[in-house]
Amino acid sequence: MISIANIKNADSPMFFLLAGPCAIEGRDMALRIAEHIVTITERLRIPYIFKGSYRKANRTKIDSFTGIGDEKALKILKEVSDTFGIPTVTDIHESHEAAMAAEYVDVLQIPAFLCRQTELLAAAARTGKAVNVKKGQFLSGASMKFAVEKINEINPECPVILTDRGNSFGYGDLIVDYRNLPEMSSFGVPVVMDCTHSLQQPNQSSGVTGGKPKLIETIAKAAIAVGADGLFIETHFNPAEAKSDGANMLPLDQLEGLLERLVRVREAII
Protein backbone atom coordinates (compact mmCIF):
# COMPACT_ATOMS: atom_id res chain seq x y z
CA MET A 1 0.00 0.00 0.00
CA ILE A 2 1.18 3.52 -0.74
CA SER A 3 2.59 5.47 2.19
CA ILE A 4 0.71 8.73 1.81
CA ALA A 5 3.14 10.54 4.09
CA ASN A 6 6.01 9.71 1.74
CA ILE A 7 4.22 9.87 -1.60
CA LYS A 8 6.59 12.57 -2.84
CA ASN A 9 9.58 10.28 -2.77
CA ALA A 10 12.80 11.39 -4.46
CA ASP A 11 13.79 7.74 -4.83
CA SER A 12 10.66 6.99 -6.88
CA PRO A 13 10.55 9.22 -9.98
CA MET A 14 7.16 7.95 -11.17
CA PHE A 15 4.11 10.19 -10.79
CA PHE A 16 1.22 8.94 -8.67
CA LEU A 17 -2.42 8.74 -9.74
CA LEU A 18 -5.72 9.64 -8.11
CA ALA A 19 -8.42 8.20 -10.33
CA GLY A 20 -11.90 6.78 -10.30
CA PRO A 21 -15.49 7.84 -10.87
CA CYS A 22 -16.75 11.27 -9.90
CA ALA A 23 -19.30 9.77 -7.51
CA ILE A 24 -19.87 6.34 -6.01
CA GLU A 25 -22.88 5.13 -7.98
CA GLY A 26 -22.89 1.59 -6.62
CA ARG A 27 -20.73 -1.24 -5.29
CA ASP A 28 -20.27 -3.20 -8.52
CA MET A 29 -19.39 -0.10 -10.51
CA ALA A 30 -16.77 1.04 -7.99
CA LEU A 31 -15.12 -2.37 -7.67
CA ARG A 32 -15.00 -2.91 -11.43
CA ILE A 33 -13.41 0.47 -12.08
CA ALA A 34 -10.91 0.00 -9.25
CA GLU A 35 -9.92 -3.47 -10.49
CA HIS A 36 -9.39 -2.15 -14.02
CA ILE A 37 -7.17 0.71 -12.86
CA VAL A 38 -5.24 -1.43 -10.37
CA THR A 39 -4.34 -3.85 -13.16
CA ILE A 40 -2.96 -0.99 -15.27
CA THR A 41 -1.12 0.86 -12.50
CA GLU A 42 0.51 -2.27 -11.11
CA ARG A 43 1.91 -3.10 -14.55
CA LEU A 44 3.19 0.44 -15.06
CA ARG A 45 4.34 0.76 -11.42
CA ILE A 46 2.29 3.89 -10.86
CA PRO A 47 1.30 4.45 -7.20
CA TYR A 48 -2.50 4.57 -7.17
CA ILE A 49 -5.20 6.11 -4.96
CA PHE A 50 -8.83 5.27 -5.80
CA LYS A 51 -11.06 8.35 -5.98
CA GLY A 52 -14.81 8.43 -5.46
CA SER A 53 -17.08 11.04 -3.87
CA TYR A 54 -19.46 9.55 -1.31
CA ARG A 55 -21.70 12.59 -1.75
CA LYS A 56 -21.83 15.47 -4.24
CA ALA A 57 -22.76 18.65 -2.38
CA ASN A 58 -21.92 21.20 -5.08
CA ARG A 59 -24.58 20.73 -7.77
CA THR A 60 -26.07 23.34 -10.08
CA LYS A 61 -29.65 22.03 -10.06
CA ILE A 62 -31.77 20.84 -7.15
CA ASP A 63 -32.57 17.56 -8.90
CA SER A 64 -28.93 16.68 -9.74
CA PHE A 65 -27.59 13.36 -8.41
CA THR A 66 -25.93 13.75 -5.00
CA GLY A 67 -25.26 10.17 -3.92
CA ILE A 68 -26.54 6.76 -2.87
CA GLY A 69 -26.33 7.48 0.86
CA ASP A 70 -23.33 8.53 2.92
CA GLU A 71 -22.70 5.37 4.92
CA LYS A 72 -23.42 3.08 1.99
CA ALA A 73 -20.96 4.91 -0.27
CA LEU A 74 -18.27 5.18 2.41
CA LYS A 75 -18.50 1.43 3.09
CA ILE A 76 -17.98 0.81 -0.63
CA LEU A 77 -14.84 2.97 -0.53
CA LYS A 78 -13.59 0.91 2.42
CA GLU A 79 -14.33 -2.30 0.53
CA VAL A 80 -12.35 -1.04 -2.47
CA SER A 81 -9.39 -0.32 -0.19
CA ASP A 82 -9.59 -3.68 1.57
CA THR A 83 -10.11 -5.67 -1.64
CA PHE A 84 -7.23 -4.21 -3.63
CA GLY A 85 -4.90 -2.96 -0.89
CA ILE A 86 -4.96 0.62 -2.14
CA PRO A 87 -5.62 3.98 -0.46
CA THR A 88 -8.84 5.85 -1.21
CA VAL A 89 -9.77 9.53 -1.35
CA THR A 90 -13.12 11.28 -1.03
CA ASP A 91 -14.43 14.85 -0.71
CA ILE A 92 -15.77 16.40 2.46
CA HIS A 93 -17.83 19.59 2.47
CA GLU A 94 -18.55 20.46 6.10
CA SER A 95 -16.46 20.20 9.26
CA HIS A 96 -18.59 17.47 10.84
CA GLU A 97 -17.98 15.19 7.86
CA ALA A 98 -14.23 14.92 8.46
CA ALA A 99 -14.27 12.46 11.36
CA MET A 100 -17.00 10.37 9.72
CA ALA A 101 -15.21 10.03 6.37
CA ALA A 102 -11.84 9.44 8.06
CA GLU A 103 -13.15 6.15 9.45
CA TYR A 104 -13.38 4.80 5.91
CA VAL A 105 -10.79 6.51 3.67
CA ASP A 106 -7.08 7.38 3.68
CA VAL A 107 -7.19 10.86 2.14
CA LEU A 108 -9.72 13.63 2.78
CA GLN A 109 -10.18 15.99 -0.15
CA ILE A 110 -11.16 19.64 0.21
CA PRO A 111 -13.10 20.89 -2.83
CA ALA A 112 -11.75 23.94 -4.64
CA PHE A 113 -14.63 26.23 -3.68
CA LEU A 114 -13.99 25.39 -0.01
CA CYS A 115 -10.19 25.64 0.12
CA ARG A 116 -10.31 28.81 2.27
CA GLN A 117 -12.72 27.36 4.85
CA THR A 118 -10.58 27.38 7.98
CA GLU A 119 -12.80 25.12 10.12
CA LEU A 120 -13.06 22.55 7.34
CA LEU A 121 -9.27 22.44 6.91
CA ALA A 122 -8.79 22.23 10.66
CA ALA A 123 -11.30 19.41 11.03
CA ALA A 124 -9.59 17.43 8.29
CA ALA A 125 -6.17 18.00 9.87
CA ARG A 126 -7.38 16.78 13.26
CA THR A 127 -8.24 13.36 11.83
CA GLY A 128 -4.57 12.67 11.11
CA LYS A 129 -5.43 11.53 7.60
CA ALA A 130 -3.71 12.97 4.54
CA VAL A 131 -5.50 16.05 3.19
CA ASN A 132 -5.70 16.89 -0.50
CA VAL A 133 -6.66 20.54 -0.96
CA LYS A 134 -7.83 21.61 -4.39
CA LYS A 135 -6.76 25.12 -5.37
CA GLY A 136 -9.72 27.44 -5.80
CA GLN A 137 -10.52 28.55 -9.32
CA PHE A 138 -10.27 32.09 -7.96
CA LEU A 139 -6.79 31.75 -6.39
CA SER A 140 -3.17 31.77 -7.47
CA GLY A 141 -0.84 28.93 -6.61
CA ALA A 142 1.02 31.25 -4.25
CA SER A 143 -2.15 31.79 -2.21
CA MET A 144 -2.34 28.09 -1.35
CA LYS A 145 0.51 28.44 1.14
CA PHE A 146 -2.10 29.65 3.63
CA ALA A 147 -4.09 26.43 3.31
CA VAL A 148 -0.91 24.47 4.02
CA GLU A 149 -0.12 26.70 6.99
CA LYS A 150 -3.61 26.25 8.47
CA ILE A 151 -3.33 22.46 8.31
CA ASN A 152 0.22 22.45 9.68
CA GLU A 153 -0.79 24.72 12.55
CA ILE A 154 -3.46 22.24 13.65
CA ASN A 155 -1.46 19.08 12.96
CA PRO A 156 2.20 19.41 11.90
CA GLU A 157 2.29 15.68 11.12
CA CYS A 158 -0.65 15.81 8.71
CA PRO A 159 0.43 15.00 5.12
CA VAL A 160 -0.78 17.68 2.69
CA ILE A 161 -1.30 17.44 -1.06
CA LEU A 162 -2.20 20.42 -3.25
CA THR A 163 -4.15 20.00 -6.48
CA ASP A 164 -4.58 22.50 -9.30
CA ARG A 165 -7.83 22.38 -11.26
CA GLY A 166 -7.58 25.50 -13.37
CA ASN A 167 -8.67 29.11 -12.96
CA SER A 168 -11.93 30.77 -13.94
CA PHE A 169 -11.72 32.30 -17.40
CA GLY A 170 -14.84 34.36 -17.91
CA TYR A 171 -18.17 32.94 -16.80
CA GLY A 172 -18.16 29.57 -18.54
CA ASP A 173 -14.63 28.30 -18.96
CA LEU A 174 -11.39 27.48 -17.15
CA ILE A 175 -7.75 27.88 -18.09
CA VAL A 176 -4.67 26.19 -16.62
CA ASP A 177 -1.75 28.37 -15.57
CA TYR A 178 1.14 25.92 -15.24
CA ARG A 179 3.12 28.40 -13.16
CA ASN A 180 0.92 27.32 -10.28
CA LEU A 181 2.47 23.84 -10.10
CA PRO A 182 6.08 24.84 -9.27
CA GLU A 183 4.72 27.64 -7.08
CA MET A 184 2.76 25.19 -4.94
CA SER A 185 5.59 22.65 -5.01
CA SER A 186 7.81 25.24 -3.33
CA PHE A 187 5.78 24.72 -0.14
CA GLY A 188 7.34 21.26 0.22
CA VAL A 189 4.18 19.26 -0.54
CA PRO A 190 3.23 16.90 -3.39
CA VAL A 191 1.47 18.74 -6.20
CA VAL A 192 -1.22 17.21 -8.42
CA MET A 193 -2.85 18.31 -11.68
CA ASP A 194 -6.56 17.63 -11.97
CA CYS A 195 -6.72 16.77 -15.65
CA THR A 196 -10.51 16.45 -15.88
CA HIS A 197 -12.05 19.19 -13.73
CA SER A 198 -9.64 21.71 -15.24
CA LEU A 199 -11.48 21.12 -18.52
CA GLN A 200 -14.94 21.84 -17.16
CA GLN A 201 -17.20 24.45 -18.70
CA PRO A 202 -19.27 25.59 -15.72
CA ASN A 203 -22.34 27.83 -15.56
CA GLN A 204 -24.00 26.52 -18.70
CA SER A 205 -27.53 27.70 -19.40
CA SER A 206 -28.75 24.09 -19.21
CA GLY A 207 -27.69 23.85 -15.57
CA VAL A 208 -25.36 20.95 -16.47
CA THR A 209 -21.61 21.57 -16.50
CA GLY A 210 -19.92 20.95 -19.83
CA GLY A 211 -16.37 19.91 -20.60
CA LYS A 212 -13.59 19.29 -23.12
CA PRO A 213 -12.42 15.71 -22.46
CA LYS A 214 -10.47 15.55 -25.73
CA LEU A 215 -7.88 17.80 -24.07
CA ILE A 216 -7.26 15.56 -21.05
CA GLU A 217 -4.08 14.17 -22.57
CA THR A 218 -2.83 17.67 -23.39
CA ILE A 219 -3.34 18.83 -19.80
CA ALA A 220 -1.73 15.68 -18.39
CA LYS A 221 1.34 15.75 -20.63
CA ALA A 222 2.00 19.40 -19.87
CA ALA A 223 1.61 18.79 -16.13
CA ILE A 224 4.13 15.95 -16.15
CA ALA A 225 6.50 18.04 -18.25
CA VAL A 226 6.55 20.86 -15.68
CA GLY A 227 7.07 18.49 -12.77
CA ALA A 228 3.69 17.53 -11.30
CA ASP A 229 4.07 14.80 -8.68
CA GLY A 230 0.67 13.32 -9.40
CA LEU A 231 -2.35 13.38 -11.69
CA PHE A 232 -6.05 13.39 -10.87
CA ILE A 233 -8.32 11.82 -13.50
CA GLU A 234 -12.01 11.02 -13.24
CA THR A 235 -12.98 8.07 -15.37
CA HIS A 236 -16.00 5.89 -16.08
CA PHE A 237 -16.91 2.93 -18.29
CA ASN A 238 -19.42 5.15 -20.09
CA PRO A 239 -19.09 8.86 -19.22
CA ALA A 240 -22.34 9.63 -21.05
CA GLU A 241 -24.17 7.55 -18.45
CA ALA A 242 -22.24 8.84 -15.42
CA LYS A 243 -24.46 10.45 -12.82
CA SER A 244 -22.04 13.30 -12.18
CA ASP A 245 -19.47 15.21 -14.26
CA GLY A 246 -19.70 12.89 -17.25
CA ALA A 247 -19.00 15.75 -19.67
CA ASN A 248 -15.34 15.99 -18.68
CA MET A 249 -14.53 12.37 -17.76
CA LEU A 250 -12.07 10.09 -19.52
CA PRO A 251 -13.57 6.87 -20.92
CA LEU A 252 -12.00 4.06 -18.90
CA ASP A 253 -10.89 2.16 -21.98
CA GLN A 254 -8.63 5.12 -22.89
CA LEU A 255 -6.82 5.24 -19.56
CA GLU A 256 -4.21 2.55 -20.21
CA GLY A 257 -2.90 4.09 -23.42
CA LEU A 258 -2.82 7.53 -21.85
CA LEU A 259 -0.84 6.35 -18.83
CA GLU A 260 1.63 4.50 -21.04
CA ARG A 261 2.32 7.71 -22.95
CA LEU A 262 2.59 9.73 -19.75
CA VAL A 263 5.12 7.29 -18.32
CA ARG A 264 7.27 7.89 -21.40
CA VAL A 265 7.00 11.65 -20.89
CA ARG A 266 8.06 11.24 -17.27
CA GLU A 267 10.99 9.05 -18.22
CA ALA A 268 12.10 11.60 -20.81
CA ILE A 269 12.42 14.45 -18.31
CA ILE A 270 14.11 12.73 -15.35
Side-chain angles (χ1 to χ4, degrees):
M1 182 177 292
I2 300 171
S3 173
I4 300 298
N6 297 310
I7 200 165
K8 187 175 180 180
N9 184 348
D11 296 328
S12 178
M14 188 52 62
F15 60 87
F16 62 95
L17 177 69
L18 297 86
C22 178
I24 299 298
E25 300 174 7
R27 175 181 179 274
D28 179 65
M29 166 262 208
L31 289 169
R32 287 175 61 216
I33 290 177
E35 182 178 25
H36 187 95
I37 301 176
V38 165
T39 300
I40 296 169
T41 53
E42 285 186 347
R43 180 177 68 81
L44 297 176
R45 298 184 179 180
I46 297 172
Y48 173 48
I49 304 170
F50 177 84
K51 184 271 169 183
S53 296
Y54 74 90
R55 174 155 43 92
K56 301 301 297 182
N58 177 20
R59 302 288 86 190
T60 302
K61 299 170 67 176
I62 189 66
D63 59 351
S64 295
F65 174 81
T66 58
I68 60 174
D70 293 356
E71 185 176 14
K72 182 177 180 180
L74 286 167
K75 285 183 176 179
I76 290 171
L77 284 163
K78 184 67 166 63
E79 185 175 357
V80 167
S81 179
D82 291 343
T83 300
F84 300 106
I86 55 174
T88 55
V89 56
T90 198
D91 311 78
I92 59 172
H93 307 88
E94 297 186 55
S95 301
H96 68 83
E97 298 177 27
M100 173 184 68
E103 294 183 13
Y104 298 91
V105 301
D106 303 278
V107 185
L108 300 177
Q109 182 166 283
I110 309 300
F113 283 132
L114 301 176
C115 68
R116 285 171 49 91
Q117 297 297 102
T118 301
E119 281 304 311
L120 182 60
L121 293 168
R126 290 188 189 104
T127 68
K129 298 291 178 139
V131 181
N132 179 31
V133 188
K134 287 197 169 184
K135 183 187 74 63
Q137 301 93 319
F138 43 87
L139 291 176
S140 67
S143 299
M144 292 303 291
K145 71 177 180 179
F146 301 111
V148 177
E149 288 176 356
K150 288 176 182 179
I151 294 170
N152 288 341
E153 179 68 23
I154 297 297
N155 182 357
E157 303 302 317
C158 180
V160 182
I161 302 168
L162 294 179
T163 295
D164 191 5
R165 48 99 76 234
N167 283 82
S168 296
F169 187 68
Y171 290 113
D173 204 358
L174 298 169
I175 191 167
V176 176
D177 180 351
Y178 286 96
R179 295 175 298 179
N180 286 325
L181 296 179
E183 186 75 57
M184 294 192 298
S185 184
S186 71
F187 307 142
V189 300
V191 172
V192 172
M193 184 70 235
D194 183 338
C195 304
T196 45
H197 288 100
S198 60
L199 291 167
Q200 282 184 331
Q201 294 177 304
N203 304 316
Q204 300 299 302
S205 59
S206 65
V208 178
T209 297
K212 301 177 181 178
K214 290 183 179 180
L215 293 174
I216 290 172
E217 182 162 343
T218 300
I219 296 292
K221 284 179 175 178
I224 293 299
V226 299
D229 300 294
L231 300 175
F232 180 106
I233 298 174
E234 287 190 341
T235 184
H236 194 282
F237 284 108
N238 187 353
E241 295 181 357
K243 295 183 178 181
S244 178
D245 281 359
N248 50 269
M249 276 189 185
L250 181 76
L252 191 60
D253 62 5
Q254 296 179 20
L255 181 63
E256 185 169 16
L258 172 61
L259 292 176
E260 288 174 343
R261 293 187 290 277
L262 294 174
V263 166
R264 292 199 292 273
V265 174
R266 186 66 158 200
E267 291 172 344
I269 66 170
I270 59 175

mmCIF file of all heavy atoms in Angstrom, residues 87-109:
data_model
loop_
_atom_site.group_PDB
_atom_site.id
_atom_site.type_symbol
_atom_site.label_atom_id
_atom_site.label_comp_id
_atom_site.label_asym_id
_atom_site.label_seq_id
_atom_site.Cartn_x
_atom_site.Cartn_y
_atom_site.Cartn_z
ATOM 1 N N PRO A 87 -4.993 2.871 -1.181
ATOM 2 C CA PRO A 87 -5.623 3.980 -0.459
ATOM 3 C C PRO A 87 -6.814 4.518 -1.253
ATOM 4 O O PRO A 87 -6.918 4.317 -2.466
ATOM 5 C CB PRO A 87 -4.517 5.039 -0.369
ATOM 6 C CG PRO A 87 -3.266 4.361 -0.821
ATOM 7 C CD PRO A 87 -3.678 3.241 -1.712
ATOM 8 N N THR A 88 -7.692 5.220 -0.561
ATOM 9 C CA THR A 88 -8.838 5.848 -1.206
ATOM 10 C C THR A 88 -8.931 7.306 -0.778
ATOM 11 O O THR A 88 -8.450 7.698 0.285
ATOM 12 C CB THR A 88 -10.148 5.135 -0.837
ATOM 13 O OG1 THR A 88 -10.285 5.096 0.592
ATOM 14 C CG2 THR A 88 -10.170 3.713 -1.390
ATOM 15 N N VAL A 89 -9.577 8.112 -1.627
ATOM 16 C CA VAL A 89 -9.768 9.534 -1.346
ATOM 17 C C VAL A 89 -11.205 9.912 -1.648
ATOM 18 O O VAL A 89 -11.803 9.429 -2.620
ATOM 19 C CB VAL A 89 -8.776 10.408 -2.167
ATOM 20 C CG1 VAL A 89 -8.892 10.147 -3.653
ATOM 21 C CG2 VAL A 89 -8.995 11.892 -1.878
ATOM 22 N N THR A 90 -11.775 10.784 -0.804
ATOM 23 C CA THR A 90 -13.120 11.281 -1.035
ATOM 24 C C THR A 90 -13.229 12.714 -0.557
ATOM 25 O O THR A 90 -12.451 13.165 0.287
ATOM 26 C CB THR A 90 -14.177 10.399 -0.334
ATOM 27 O OG1 THR A 90 -15.471 10.635 -0.901
ATOM 28 C CG2 THR A 90 -14.221 10.655 1.169
ATOM 29 N N ASP A 91 -14.205 13.448 -1.089
ATOM 30 C CA ASP A 91 -14.427 14.846 -0.709
ATOM 31 C C ASP A 91 -15.182 14.943 0.618
ATOM 32 O O ASP A 91 -16.022 14.097 0.919
ATOM 33 C CB ASP A 91 -15.288 15.570 -1.757
ATOM 34 C CG ASP A 91 -14.822 15.369 -3.173
ATOM 35 O OD1 ASP A 91 -15.099 14.301 -3.736
ATOM 36 O OD2 ASP A 91 -14.199 16.287 -3.720
ATOM 37 N N ILE A 92 -14.916 16.010 1.346
ATOM 38 C CA ILE A 92 -15.765 16.403 2.455
ATOM 39 C C ILE A 92 -16.155 17.865 2.243
ATOM 40 O O ILE A 92 -15.411 18.625 1.622
ATOM 41 C CB ILE A 92 -15.095 16.210 3.830
ATOM 42 C CG1 ILE A 92 -13.795 17.013 3.938
ATOM 43 C CG2 ILE A 92 -14.848 14.727 4.100
ATOM 44 C CD1 ILE A 92 -13.183 17.020 5.325
ATOM 45 N N HIS A 93 -17.308 18.248 2.759
ATOM 46 C CA HIS A 93 -17.833 19.586 2.468
ATOM 47 C C HIS A 93 -18.111 20.414 3.711
ATOM 48 O O HIS A 93 -18.173 21.639 3.633
ATOM 49 C CB HIS A 93 -19.103 19.476 1.634
ATOM 50 C CG HIS A 93 -18.937 18.658 0.401
ATOM 51 N ND1 HIS A 93 -19.114 17.297 0.387
ATOM 52 C CD2 HIS A 93 -18.567 19.007 -0.861
ATOM 53 C CE1 HIS A 93 -18.878 16.835 -0.832
ATOM 54 N NE2 HIS A 93 -18.542 17.844 -1.607
ATOM 55 N N GLU A 94 -18.303 19.762 4.844
ATOM 56 C CA GLU A 94 -18.549 20.456 6.098
ATOM 57 C C GLU A 94 -17.690 19.839 7.190
ATOM 58 O O GLU A 94 -17.301 18.661 7.105
ATOM 59 C CB GLU A 94 -20.023 20.384 6.475
ATOM 60 C CG GLU A 94 -20.950 21.070 5.471
ATOM 61 C CD GLU A 94 -22.386 21.094 5.948
ATOM 62 O OE1 GLU A 94 -22.643 21.595 7.063
ATOM 63 O OE2 GLU A 94 -23.252 20.589 5.205
ATOM 64 N N SER A 95 -17.405 20.626 8.225
ATOM 65 C CA SER A 95 -16.462 20.198 9.261
ATOM 66 C C SER A 95 -16.861 18.875 9.904
ATOM 67 O O SER A 95 -16.011 18.028 10.180
ATOM 68 C CB SER A 95 -16.342 21.288 10.332
ATOM 69 O OG SER A 95 -15.910 22.505 9.763
ATOM 70 N N HIS A 96 -18.154 18.688 10.138
ATOM 71 C CA HIS A 96 -18.593 17.473 10.842
ATOM 72 C C HIS A 96 -18.409 16.209 10.008
ATOM 73 O O HIS A 96 -18.459 15.099 10.546
ATOM 74 C CB HIS A 96 -20.052 17.616 11.276
ATOM 75 C CG HIS A 96 -21.030 17.644 10.123
ATOM 76 N ND1 HIS A 96 -21.500 16.498 9.525
ATOM 77 C CD2 HIS A 96 -21.609 18.680 9.478
ATOM 78 C CE1 HIS A 96 -22.339 16.826 8.542
ATOM 79 N NE2 HIS A 96 -22.416 18.137 8.494
ATOM 80 N N GLU A 97 -18.174 16.355 8.716
ATOM 81 C CA GLU A 97 -17.984 15.188 7.863
ATOM 82 C C GLU A 97 -16.594 14.590 7.991
ATOM 83 O O GLU A 97 -16.376 13.427 7.632
ATOM 84 C CB GLU A 97 -18.227 15.557 6.394
ATOM 85 C CG GLU A 97 -19.625 16.030 6.078
ATOM 86 C CD GLU A 97 -19.754 16.452 4.625
ATOM 87 O OE1 GLU A 97 -18.996 15.942 3.785
ATOM 88 O OE2 GLU A 97 -20.609 17.299 4.330
ATOM 89 N N ALA A 98 -15.634 15.365 8.478
ATOM 90 C CA ALA A 98 -14.235 14.923 8.463
ATOM 91 C C ALA A 98 -14.036 13.637 9.261
ATOM 92 O O ALA A 98 -13.469 12.662 8.754
ATOM 93 C CB ALA A 98 -13.335 16.035 8.995
ATOM 94 N N ALA A 99 -14.478 13.636 10.504
ATOM 95 C CA ALA A 99 -14.275 12.460 11.355
ATOM 96 C C ALA A 99 -15.015 11.248 10.807
ATOM 97 O O ALA A 99 -14.512 10.121 10.853
ATOM 98 C CB ALA A 99 -14.722 12.767 12.782
ATOM 99 N N MET A 100 -16.212 11.474 10.279
ATOM 100 C CA MET A 100 -16.997 10.370 9.721
ATOM 101 C C MET A 100 -16.277 9.737 8.541
ATOM 102 O O MET A 100 -16.073 8.515 8.482
ATOM 103 C CB MET A 100 -18.365 10.881 9.284
ATOM 104 C CG MET A 100 -19.200 9.843 8.543
ATOM 105 S SD MET A 100 -20.777 10.499 7.923
ATOM 106 C CE MET A 100 -20.206 11.630 6.643
ATOM 107 N N ALA A 101 -15.862 10.561 7.573
ATOM 108 C CA ALA A 101 -15.210 10.032 6.375
ATOM 109 C C ALA A 101 -13.865 9.396 6.705
ATOM 110 O O ALA A 101 -13.456 8.413 6.069
ATOM 111 C CB ALA A 101 -15.034 11.137 5.341
ATOM 112 N N ALA A 102 -13.167 9.944 7.699
ATOM 113 C CA ALA A 102 -11.836 9.437 8.056
ATOM 114 C C ALA A 102 -11.877 8.004 8.563
ATOM 115 O O ALA A 102 -10.863 7.314 8.551
ATOM 116 C CB ALA A 102 -11.204 10.345 9.109
ATOM 117 N N GLU A 103 -13.030 7.544 9.000
ATOM 118 C CA GLU A 103 -13.154 6.153 9.446
ATOM 119 C C GLU A 103 -13.091 5.172 8.282
ATOM 120 O O GLU A 103 -12.869 3.977 8.480
ATOM 121 C CB GLU A 103 -14.469 5.960 10.201
ATOM 122 C CG GLU A 103 -14.555 6.731 11.511
ATOM 123 C CD GLU A 103 -15.842 6.444 12.249
ATOM 124 O OE1 GLU A 103 -16.539 5.463 11.870
ATOM 125 O OE2 GLU A 103 -16.162 7.172 13.196
ATOM 126 N N TYR A 104 -13.264 5.682 7.060
ATOM 127 C CA TYR A 104 -13.377 4.796 5.908
ATOM 128 C C TYR A 104 -12.298 5.001 4.852
ATOM 129 O O TYR A 104 -12.022 4.080 4.080
ATOM 130 C CB TYR A 104 -14.746 4.989 5.234
ATOM 131 C CG TYR A 104 -15.924 4.652 6.107
ATOM 132 C CD1 TYR A 104 -16.532 5.623 6.895
ATOM 133 C CD2 TYR A 104 -16.438 3.358 6.146
ATOM 134 C CE1 TYR A 104 -17.633 5.323 7.689
ATOM 135 C CE2 TYR A 104 -17.530 3.040 6.938
ATOM 136 C CZ TYR A 104 -18.125 4.027 7.713
ATOM 137 O OH TYR A 104 -19.211 3.717 8.492
ATOM 138 N N VAL A 105 -11.716 6.212 4.759
ATOM 139 C CA VAL A 105 -10.788 6.508 3.666
ATOM 140 C C VAL A 105 -9.435 6.961 4.209
ATOM 141 O O VAL A 105 -9.288 7.273 5.389
ATOM 142 C CB VAL A 105 -11.357 7.579 2.714
ATOM 143 C CG1 VAL A 105 -12.687 7.130 2.118
ATOM 144 C CG2 VAL A 105 -11.498 8.926 3.419
ATOM 145 N N ASP A 106 -8.450 7.023 3.307
ATOM 146 C CA ASP A 106 -7.079 7.378 3.677
ATOM 147 C C ASP A 106 -6.756 8.849 3.443
ATOM 148 O O ASP A 106 -5.870 9.398 4.089
ATOM 149 C CB ASP A 106 -6.098 6.518 2.860
ATOM 150 C CG ASP A 106 -6.342 5.043 3.058
ATOM 151 O OD1 ASP A 106 -5.854 4.500 4.056
ATOM 152 O OD2 ASP A 106 -7.049 4.438 2.223
ATOM 153 N N VAL A 107 -7.455 9.470 2.493
ATOM 154 C CA VAL A 107 -7.195 10.863 2.140
ATOM 155 C C VAL A 107 -8.514 11.622 2.122
ATOM 156 O O VAL A 107 -9.481 11.185 1.489
ATOM 157 C CB VAL A 107 -6.521 10.990 0.757
ATOM 158 C CG1 VAL A 107 -6.144 12.441 0.473
ATOM 159 C CG2 VAL A 107 -5.290 10.095 0.663
ATOM 160 N N LEU A 108 -8.550 12.755 2.812
ATOM 161 C CA LEU A 108 -9.716 13.630 2.778
ATOM 162 C C LEU A 108 -9.443 14.757 1.788
ATOM 163 O O LEU A 108 -8.394 15.398 1.851
ATOM 164 C CB LEU A 108 -9.992 14.212 4.162
ATOM 165 C CG LEU A 108 -10.267 13.199 5.273
ATOM 166 C CD1 LEU A 108 -10.458 13.912 6.603
ATOM 167 C CD2 LEU A 108 -11.486 12.339 4.944
ATOM 168 N N GLN A 109 -10.376 14.979 0.887
ATOM 169 C CA GLN A 109 -10.181 15.987 -0.155
ATOM 170 C C GLN A 109 -11.057 17.204 0.112
ATOM 171 O O GLN A 109 -12.254 17.078 0.376
ATOM 172 C CB GLN A 109 -10.525 15.382 -1.517
ATOM 173 C CG GLN A 109 -10.311 16.332 -2.686
ATOM 174 C CD GLN A 109 -10.333 15.591 -3.998
ATOM 175 O OE1 GLN A 109 -9.352 14.933 -4.362
ATOM 176 N NE2 GLN A 109 -11.434 15.668 -4.718
#
